[in-house]
Amino acid sequence: MIDTIALVLFFLTVALSMGGGLYEILVIYPNWKHDVDPHTLRAKLESSGQLLAAKRFWPLVSPAQVLLSIINIILAWKYTSDAHSYWLAAAIAVFVTRVITFSYFIPVMIRKIMQPEKVEANRLKAIVKQWTDLSPLRLIPEFFAWGMLVVALMYI
């Protein structure tokens, strides 16, 4: 029973994260990633909804996903049915993605992009370009994990 609950909660956080990530990439990023200027970037971040997501959505979803990925790695490791490999692969993929997010994406967003006045204009443009080019790549392992979790749920 605990296995099923943990797996379902994990599946829901992965789906929520994928939806949030897709929304940001398709709707929010285009409103602030172009024509980066240290004097206007903060206002663009606020008007696009990026600051709100960074303060209200991701601080709830990301830590929950880390915790659930750790729990699911442990549970999947011990699980002995056909779901084992799919479940474990999904949990590891999400955990690695969260580690990358917490080690690069969050610090760069907080220290540089959300404080544009502290960064030289050309450097800020390069930082925003790299950040927004790399950020969508985080969805690849999440889509993989979501697919693996669908299969794992069929076997549970």
Side-chain angles (χ1 to χ4, degrees):
M1 181 68 165
I2 297 254
D3 293 340
T4 305
I5 292 169
L7 183 57
V8 168
L9 287 174
F10 188 48
F11 175 80
L12 291 174
T13 63
V14 170
L16 187 64
S17 178
M18 282 175 25
L22 280 172
Y23 180 77
E24 279 190 342
I25 292 163
L26 298 173
V27 177
I28 294 180
Y29 291 1
N31 291 321
W32 64 266
K33 75 176 188 174
H34 303 292
D35 301 321
V36 176
D37 181 284
H39 304 293
T40 60
L41 182 58
R42 185 137 178 96
K44 286 181 180 181
L45 289 170
E46 194 165 319
S47 68
S48 71
Q50 184 70 48
L51 289 182
L52 213 52
K55 292 178 182 175
R56 293 190 181 164
F57 179 76
W58 293 115
L60 297 173
V61 174
S62 285
Q65 217 175 24
V66 170
L67 180 60
L68 284 167
S69 67
I70 292 168
I71 291 168
N72 279 272
I73 287 170
I74 293 165
L75 293 174
W77 187 269
K78 295 177 182 180
Y79 203 72
T80 57
S81 91
D82 294 336
H84 167 80
S85 299
Y86 301 105
W87 188 6
L88 187 59
I92 290 170
V94 170
F95 181 77
V96 169
T97 304
R98 293 297 102 198
V99 167
I100 292 167
T101 297
F102 279 95
S103 61
Y104 171 73
F105 290 96
I106 293 172
V108 170
M109 175 58 82
I110 291 172
R111 294 184 188 134
K112 296 185 175 143
I113 297 174
M114 290 174 74
Q115 298 181 30
E117 62 282 348
K118 295 182 179 182
V119 182
E120 191 262 335
N122 287 334
R123 183 154 155 56
L124 182 63
K125 286 180 185 177
I127 289 168
V128 168
K129 179 169 179 9
Q130 180 177 359
W131 195 94
T132 55
D133 286 349
L134 292 175
S135 184
L137 297 177
R138 294 182 288 169
L139 284 176
I140 295 168
E142 288 202 8
F143 275 106
F144 166 78
W146 185 84
M148 294 293 102
L149 289 171
V150 167
V151 175
L153 283 166
M154 291 188 314
Y155 285 118
I156 286 267

